[in-house]
Amino acid sequence: MADLFGGAAPSYAKYRTRPPEPAIAHLAAAFGADSTVLDLGCGPGTLAIPLAGRVREVLAVDPDHGMLAEGRRLARRSPNVRWIAGDSARLGELPAFDHVVMGRSFHWMDRRAVLAELDALLPRDGVVVLVGPAADEPEQPWEPAMRRVRDASGINTFTASNGYQATGEPHEAVLSGSPFRMLARARFEQRLTYDVTAVVGPQLSYSYTAPAALGGRLEAFAEEAGRALLADRPSGRWDLTTVTEVVTARRPPRSP
């Protein structure tokens, strides 16, 4: 999947919603200051960079070289982030790590296979943490307009083998049937204001509307998206509360 997000890294880094500071503090407390954390599917370092100052080292792993390059550019003051080209199918090739975090990447993976391999690789007290939008968060208010634009453009979404998009099975159900079945949840809210640019920008960070996927249609897609958004919301402004959910998964204690 190295080219799945071709050309999307700058938009991903600039426009994707970042977890609020309390969520990063929550992660740091779960991992501990002396830990090495694997950020699997790190993108441009949305989690790796703010986490780096709170742990010993972050292994930022992604198959997309553009994402890694953008992360390196943004993390010039974070020397304890190691940027590594790799993916969830080659976990055994990575340096040793104590914990794993995944932000908006687990759904692309063969989730059960990944959890089984992490069970073999992680120390007994190692945790697997998922960070992303809350499962019960309502649809974003601009999504109906964007869906019409995507449909008119003939854009299809990518289906990951045995991932969430292929099976529809929630992450928590997969975790509950894995060795990491002891789950704890935390939710973090932030109030954000979006304009048309802040809505169209993230569209160019998604796999199915990344610059590489759109090709010569990119400019026309962005223009049509702007028109559709303003037709639905002439003010060009959206105020909403977003929720970041952190699910921490641990193995149950061994029987005495």
Side-chain angles (χ1 to χ4, degrees), residues 16 18 39 47 102 114 121 161 189 195-196 238 241 246:
R16 287 284 189 114
R18 297 174 178 85
D39 182 359
L47 293 173
M102 291 175 270
V114 167
L121 293 173
S161 173
E189 294 185 357
D195 60 14
V196 171
W238 294 260
T241 298
V246 178

Side-chain angles (χ1 to χ4, degrees), residues 98-120:
D98 302 305
H99 307 286
V100 181
V101 64
M102 291 175 270
R104 299 175 182 261
S105 59
F106 194 43
H107 61 284
W108 291 113
M109 304 175 192
D110 184 336
R111 296 173 294 172
R112 286 183 170 81
V114 167
L115 291 171
E117 187 160 10
L118 290 176
D119 185 38

Side-chain angles (χ1 to χ4, degrees), residues 184-243:
R185 303 165 187 82
R187 294 163 64 96
F188 303 90
E189 294 185 357
Q190 53 185 330
R191 186 74 175 172
L192 299 173
T193 298
Y194 296 82
D195 60 14
V196 171
T197 300
V199 173
V200 175
Q203 306 301 316
L204 305 183
S205 75
Y206 301 140
S207 60
Y208 42 84
T209 43
L214 289 171
R217 299 179 294 162
L218 191 154
E219 186 174 343
F221 174 84
E223 290 176 356
E224 181 56 32
R227 284 193 292 269
L229 290 167
L230 287 173
D232 269 19
R233 182 70 63 94
S235 69
R237 177 188 171 102
W238 294 260
D239 298 297
L240 66 154
T241 298
T242 65
V243 180

